[in-house]
Amino acid sequence: MRYHKRLSVLFPVFALALVAQFSVASDRPNILWITSEDNGPFLGCYGDANAKTPNLDKLAAEGIRYTNCFANAPVCAVARSSWIWGVPAVTTGTMHMRSRYRVPQNIFKTYSRLFQNAGYYATNRSKTDYNTNTIKNNQIWDECGKQAHYKNRPEGKPFFSVFNFTTSHESGIFPGNRRKAPRLTAEDIELPPYQADTPDVIRDWRNYYDRLELMDSEVGKVLKELEASGEAGNTIIAYCSDHGGVTLRSKRFLHDTGTRVPLIVYFPEKWQHLAPAAPGSVSDRLVQFIDMPKTWLSLGSIPPPEVMPGHVFLGERIDPEPETVFLFSGRFDESPDTSRAVTDGRWKYIRNYESDRPRYQMLKYPLKQDGQLSQYEAYKAGKLNALQSAQYLPQASEELYDTKNDPHEVNNLAASNPQILARMRQQLKQHILNTRDLGFFPEPLIEVVDRSRKQTIYEYGQSETNYPINEILQMATLASNQDPINLPTFEAGLGHANETIRYWAAVGMRALGEEAVPARDAIEQAMKDHSSSVRITAAIALGKIGGKQAAAMFLVEEACAAKTDIHAMWALDGIKLLDMPEAVKGVPIEKLAGGGRYSKDIAAILQAGGSAWRRPSKRF
C-alpha cells in the first residue's frame, strides 16, 4: 500500500494539527535544491570527457547519481509548471509555452506553500516561470528574488531553498554572450550525426561547454557557502537541470537530448538513513520531474496532496518504480504542435499527432544560435546528408528508438518492432487518459475559456461533454496516421457537435494533403465554422489541395480580424505552413498581429520575405 495515499486523504482534516506539530519539530533535514538551465548530462561524472565540472563531479562521488531522470517537457516554463504543483502541465492546462492560463488554487497546491505550512522557511533564488498567472510568488515563498537566502530564516527553522543558475541557458551561446577564446578546440567536439559540421555549429558547442564550466563554478560557491554556514551536516542537496539542451534537436524536442537530465542527490551522514543507496552509488531508477516535489515533501515528513501523481524515490518509504515516464510537448513560442512520448529508460516511443508539420519549426528564438541558422542555410544549399536534412522535413507519425544501442535516436524502429510498438502505444494512451491530457484542446479554444474568467481550462475540461477525451484521442490518432482510408471519418467529424473533435478532423484533412481532394466541399464548409481553430485548419487543408492562394488570403483576413495573440498566430502559422509569405506583403505587422509577442514574431518572419522554407539569412 502506498503510504502517502491515506495521509493525503487525511491532510485537509488534520492540516492545523500537522502544522502545529511541524512548527515545534526541529529535527528535520534542510533541503537545498540546485537547478541549472538547458543542459543534459554534459558533466564529467556522466562520462563527458569535454566537461570541466569538478564541483558536481565531487557531489556525485559523495552522493547518488541518477542515469534515467527525465523532464516531463523539454522547455523551461512547461517543465517548471509541472514542478511547482507536482502535476503534469497537461493536467493543469499549462502545457503551451508562456501561455499564462489560470489554474484552480483550491485543487492544486504548490509544494513550496506546503513546506511553509509545515514550518519550513522556503526561498527561491530566483527562477519562477511557472507558466500561469495564478501564482503570486510572495505568497508561496518566504523569499523569492536575487537576494533570497536560507540564512535569513528565523532561528531554529529548517529550510527548503532553491538556487537556480541561468548560466547554461541557450542564450549564453548567442552572439555577444560568448567567450572569445573557448577552452575546447574544434577537434575536441564530436557532433551528433544529425548536426552539420559547420564552423558555427562547432563554435556553439565549444562555447556551450564554457557555459557549463561557469555553471559548475557557481554551484561550487553555493556548496562552499553551505559548508561555511554550519548547516552542511543537516542538509540534503539535490542538483538537476530544468530540461535538456541547447543545440539543434535538443531543447523543445522529446528525444533524450531534450528530456534526459542529470540528477544528483547528496545525503549528509546524519540523514543517510533516508538515502536509497550508499554514497558514490549510481541508480538506473526512472525518475521524472513530477516525482521531485512529492519526494522533497516526503523527506520533510510532509504529506503531499492526493492530486500529486508522482512516485517518491527517496526517504523511508519509497514508492515502486514506474514502468514508464510520460513526456509531452505542445506549442513552443510561435508554432503550434502536439507530440507525446513515453520512455522506460531504454525504449522511447513518440507519437506526433501533427505529422504533417516539419520536425524543425523555424522558431525565431533558437535561430539566434549561429549554429542552427548555419545548418539551415547548408540545407537550403543542398550540402547536408539525408540524416541532417531530415530535420526540415515532415516528422514521422510514430517513432520508436532503442536509446541504449542508438543514443542519438536516429534509427526509427517503429516498423520493425511491432510488439514493443504495440505495448508502448498502449502505455502512452493510458498516460494520456490518466492525466486527462488537456493538450488536445486547440489553443484558441483554451484562450477563449480562460479569458471568459468563468472557469479555468482545467475545470472546463473535466466535463465529458466539453472534453470527451477518448473520442478526441481516437480522432487525433487517426489524423496523425495520414491514411486516406480515414477520409470519410474526417469528413463526418467536421460536422461533429464538439469543437475539439471537429478540429482534429480538420487536422486529419490537412495531414492528408492532396489525398483530401474528394472532401473539398466539406473543407470549404468547415472554413465557415464558428471555431477559429477549425476555420484556420480547414483553410490550410484547402491550400494543400490546390486552393493555396484563396487559403492564404483567407488566413490573412483571419489574422487581421483576430483580437488575441494566439488566434492571430495560428492564422499566420498557416501561411507559413503553406509557404505563402507573399500573402502578407504590404500588410502592416500591427494589423496582422493580435497584439501579442508570438503573432508579432511570426509576422516578422513572413514580412522578412521568407517562410519556413525560404527564410533569408539576415537577422530579424
Side-chain angles (χ1 to χ4, degrees), residues 481-497:
N481 288 339
Q482 295 181 288
D483 189 340
I485 198 172
N486 295 315
L487 184 61
T489 302
F490 299 145
E491 190 166 2
L494 290 176
H496 199 283

Side-chain angles (χ1 to χ4, degrees), residues 292-444:
M292 293 178 180
K294 195 169 184 177
T295 299
W296 308 156
L297 291 168
S298 173
L299 292 174
S301 301
I302 305 167
E306 195 171 11
V307 294
M308 286 187 178
H311 299 75
V312 174
F313 61 93
L314 304 171
E316 293 179 334
R317 296 174 180 171
I318 295 175
D319 288 337
E321 180 181 4
E323 290 185 20
T324 57
V325 299
F326 179 42
L327 313 172
F328 44 85
S329 66
R331 174 182 57 74
F332 296 141
D333 297 346
E334 68 269 19
S335 285
D337 201 358
T338 308
S339 295
R340 300 290 183 267
V342 288
T343 180
D344 61 11
R346 175 181 176 178
W347 290 96
K348 165 81 65 63
Y349 171 69
I350 303 173
R351 166 72 77 164
N352 298 303
Y353 290 95
E354 299 185 62
S355 50
D356 59 322
R357 286 188 177 275
R359 182 182 301 277
Y360 190 81
Q361 295 244 44
M362 302 300 295
L363 301 176
K364 180 178 178 181
Y365 193 73
L367 279 169
K368 292 181 180 179
Q369 291 182 32
D370 284 341
Q372 295 205 31
L373 184 58
S374 72
Q375 177 153 338
Y376 176 64
E377 291 173 332
Y379 166 73
K380 288 194 300 181
K383 296 179 180 179
L384 301 185
N385 62 34
L387 193 55
Q388 295 160 351
S389 298
Q391 312 312 311
Y392 309 102
L393 302 175
Q395 53 200 344
S397 172
E398 296 179 287
E399 302 174 61
L400 180 68
Y401 300 105
D402 178 353
T403 64
K404 179 180 179 181
N405 297 307
D406 177 25
H408 293 298
E409 296 172 86
V410 294
N411 299 310
N412 186 355
L413 303 176
S416 57
N417 286 265
Q419 289 185 327
I420 295 175
L421 183 69
R423 170 172 60 84
M424 300 197 85
R425 273 179 183 163
Q426 183 58 35
Q427 288 170 326
L428 178 62
K429 178 180 179 180
Q430 201 57 53
H431 276 292
I432 290 170
L433 296 178
N434 288 349
T435 57
R436 197 164 179 83
D437 188 334
L438 299 173
F440 292 87
F441 271 132
E443 194 176 6

